[in-house]
Structures are given as structure tokens and as C-alpha cells.
Amino acid sequence: KTALGDELHMTDGRILERDYIPIFINGDYKGHLWSYTDISIKKKFEYVLKVQKQKYSSIIEDMNLGLVEMDQEYNIQWANSTFSEITEFANDDLVNSTILDICDREMLERPLANPALTTRELDIKTKSGVLKTFLFSETANRDLNGALKGRIGIFLDVTQFKALQKEKGRLLENLEKSNQELSEYAHIVSHDLKSPLRSLQALISWVREDDGDKLSGESLENFKNMDATLEKMDGLISGILNYSNIQRGNRKDIPVNINTVIDNIRETIFLPTHIKIVIKNKLPTMQVDKTRIEQLFQNLISNAVDHIDKEEGLIEIDCV
């Protein structure tokens, strides 16, 4: 009997394809014809092709993207397991159905804002009724001859990302509202604090005018120091307003002598007699926001003063 395409695996690794053809003359068997062809390269190529196909089929099935093959009318002909999972539809339910049954038709058919891009947002309702948002991109699916046979669609689930975007927008809106309230509060507090300061300055001025000739030199010096302290307090209150404006982005960098900043802080904060502030080397003049640099050094020095528990305290300031 004729036998075609019989494979022989040789001990040296080659693969031969053998054909056996019997020869009959007038119905009598007269012999046979053996034909051998070395198909080792062909079989190796087929094996490599099979391995690569399995590899990429595995990648397509396991990747975090829904991949769908459709005809021209969006009828689904094949879908990977990821698309089945994210839509909750079994593969058998998807095949031979249409993507239009589960997606927002208007979003799918809406013209792209940029025709050069093929990606659009698309809402899809899962089998359980949950509405999910996808980034959907499609490309032409052609046969080996280049003829158009349908579409290939790629779906990326961005539902959580969209939810985070909305949450971010809500948080930014709340933050803007809080900043506005803080700014208004700073203006109110600054106004309320400046009123008693002005009253104190007026009282000191009246006492000095009415009884200046009766006061001792030491008392007049104390009044002078009180004036200077009240002036610094007025500056600090103004700083609250400035800082509020800075928080809204209205910052202004100017040359600031850091030595002067430290000297002003020495006179502004309460400094116990057992604590000394020493500038080791002359500090630079920096191009910075004055209110912020003053706040920075006041916080650092105040914290240092609060945490010194020795009999003699030393705060050294230096720069590199």
C-alpha cells in the first residue's frame, strides 16, 4: 500500500521524510519505490515557529491589556482572557457578539479630537452592571495578502486612575478653599492684633509727652525699648500677612543680610540670660524671600532655646 510522508528520526539527529510507492504491472506486484527527503531544517523551523507562537500567545493571554479581534462591524471573533476577566463575560459569550452591546456606542463612534491619534476613552458595562472606563485603541487587521478583514482592539482599564483624578481634583478644590480661608483669617487676626498695639504706642507717647520731665533717664530708656519692641511686633504681624501672600505664590526674593536677621531675632524672642547666641563667622547676604528666611531662623533658634537644659547654653551659627 502506498505510504506518503512517513517521518524517520535518524540517530545523527536528522529527520527524513519517506514515501513508499508499490509498483504493479497488469495487477501483479513487481516491486516498490522508496523516496527519501531530508526535512531537518524544515522541522526545526516549524518547531521554532511553534515555540514562538506559544510564547507570544502566553504573553497576549497574560498581559494586563484586553485584546479583541473584530470584523468591520465590531462583531467579536476572538478575545483574550484578560478582556474576559475585566468585563466578566465568558469567552464563549463574547465571541460572535458585538462590542456595541457592552460599550457606550456614542463614545465609540464620536470623531476623534485629533485624527492622528487612534486612542479614545470608552465606557464599558460589565456583566454585573459595573461601568468601567477604558482607553481603547484600534488598528486595521489584514490578511496575508494585505486585504482588510477587520479590526484589532486594545483595551486598558483606567477606572481606578479616573477615580484618583476626580479625588485629586476634589482635594485641590478643598485645598484652594482652605488657603482662601487661611488668608482671610490672617487678615482678620493681623487687624485685631494691630489695634491694641497702636493703643499701646499711643499711651506710651502720651505718658512721655505729659510726664517726660518727671521720668528718670532709665525710665525714658525703657520707654524707648518698649517703642522698639512694639515696632518689631508690628513687623511680625505684617509678616503674617506677607507669609499668607507667599503661600499663594506671591513671593519676592531680595538681598537679605542674615547677620541683621539674627540680630533682630535676638531682640524679638525671649532669650534667657544663661543662653548666648554667637555668630562664628560673618554670615552672607542672600537673595531670598525675607519673611521666609526670618521665619526659618526664628524657628531654628527658638527650638534651640527651648531644648537647652544646661546651666550655660550656647547657640553657634556658622555657614559654609
Side-chain angles (χ1 to χ4, degrees):
K1 292 182 180 180
T2 300
L4 303 175
D6 182 29
E7 287 187 8
L8 294 178
H9 292 258
M10 313 304 288
T11 56
D12 61 3
R14 291 179 302 148
I15 302 175
L16 304 181
E17 186 177 80
R18 180 177 61 176
D19 295 332
Y20 170 75
I21 302 174
I23 299 172
F24 291 89
I25 297 177
N26 297 324
D28 295 328
Y29 172 69
K30 298 298 183 179
H32 54 269
L33 174 68
W34 288 108
S35 171
Y36 293 87
T37 305
D38 190 339
I39 59 170
S40 304
I41 295 177
K42 175 187 174 185
K43 297 302 289 187
K44 185 176 182 180
F45 177 76
E46 288 178 350
Y47 173 76
V48 171
L49 197 62
K50 180 181 178 182
V51 169
Q52 291 297 318
K53 184 179 179 181
Q54 289 176 341
K55 173 184 174 183
Y56 288 108
S57 294
S58 177
I59 292 173
I60 289 171
E61 284 298 321
D62 296 336
M63 66 181 179
N64 193 33
L65 292 170
L67 193 65
V68 180
E69 190 175 329
M70 301 167 283
D71 63 15
Q72 292 279 57
E73 306 302 323
Y74 289 104
N75 295 308
I76 299 173
Q77 297 172 330
W78 174 87
N80 69 345
S81 58
T82 302
F83 189 74
S84 295
E85 289 173 10
I86 55 183
T87 60
E88 301 172 8
F89 288 97
N91 195 272
D92 291 341
D93 295 332
L94 291 170
V95 174
N96 297 323
S97 67
T98 173
I99 199 74
L100 298 172
D101 292 337
I102 59 175
C103 79
D104 187 314
R105 182 187 291 262
E106 183 183 343
M107 293 177 73
L108 181 64
E109 297 177 346
R110 184 183 303 160
L112 290 167
N114 184 353
L117 301 176
T118 59
T119 302
R120 69 178 77 214
E121 281 191 10
L122 189 63
D123 288 341
I124 287 183
K125 186 175 287 187
T126 67
K127 190 173 183 178
S128 61
V130 176
L131 196 64
K132 290 186 176 182
T133 303
F134 292 83
L135 282 182
F136 169 65
S137 181
E138 64 176 287
T139 186
N141 186 18
R142 300 180 183 275
D143 61 21
L144 294 175
N145 297 318
L148 186 64
K149 57 184 274 189
R151 318 163 188 263
I152 293 177
I154 299 175
F155 296 81
L156 174 64
D157 188 354
V158 293
T159 308
Q160 287 187 326
F161 176 74
K162 297 292 289 185
L164 288 173
Q165 274 190 323
K166 290 181 181 178
E167 180 67 12
K168 176 186 174 184
R170 188 184 65 80
L171 290 173
L172 288 175
E173 186 178 336
N174 290 342
L175 181 62
E176 181 65 27
K177 184 179 178 182
S178 297
N179 284 340
Q180 182 63 32
E181 291 174 351
L182 180 63
S183 176
E184 293 171 358
Y185 177 73
H187 279 78
I188 293 169
V189 169
S190 299
H191 179 269
D192 290 348
L193 287 175
K194 282 196 173 189
S195 294
L197 273 185
R198 293 193 186 100
S199 298
L200 279 172
Q201 286 173 321
L203 285 171
I204 291 169
S205 177
W206 294 339
V207 171
R208 197 159 41 195
E209 287 176 4
D210 295 342
D211 302 318
D213 55 341
K214 301 175 185 177
L215 297 172
S216 65
E218 184 179 355
S219 294
L220 289 172
E221 185 64 27
N222 287 336
F223 272 110
K224 184 179 178 181
N225 291 335
M226 288 171 66
D227 265 338
T229 302
L230 288 172
E231 188 176 338
K232 288 185 182 300
M233 289 182 68
D234 186 76
L236 287 172
I237 293 168
S238 297
I240 293 175
L241 279 175
N242 291 336
Y243 184 72
S244 173
N245 290 331
I246 289 169
Q247 291 299 84
R248 295 199 302 273
N250 303 326
R251 59 174 295 163
K252 184 179 180 183
D253 291 346
I254 59 173
V256 178
N257 188 323
I258 306 302
N259 301 280
T260 305
V261 170
I262 304 303
D263 291 339
N264 289 338
I265 291 172
R266 275 197 185 105
E267 298 176 14
T268 303
I269 67 172
F270 172 69
L271 190 66
T273 55
H274 71 287
I275 295 178
K276 293 182 179 179
I277 298 176
V278 175
I279 297 176
K280 294 186 69 176
N281 293 293
K282 186 177 179 181
L283 301 175
T285 294
M286 300 173 62
Q287 190 78 11
V288 292
D289 183 273
K290 188 172 184 292
T291 302
R292 284 189 171 185
I293 202 71
E294 287 176 345
Q295 186 186 40
L296 170 65
F297 275 101
Q298 182 167 325
N299 287 345
L300 289 170
I301 294 171
S302 297
N303 288 343
V305 170
D306 292 342
H307 290 87
I308 289 177
D309 54 3
K310 301 178 177 64
E311 292 184 3
E312 296 294 328
L314 176 63
I315 299 171
E316 289 182 331
I317 301 174
D318 198 4
C319 69
V320 176

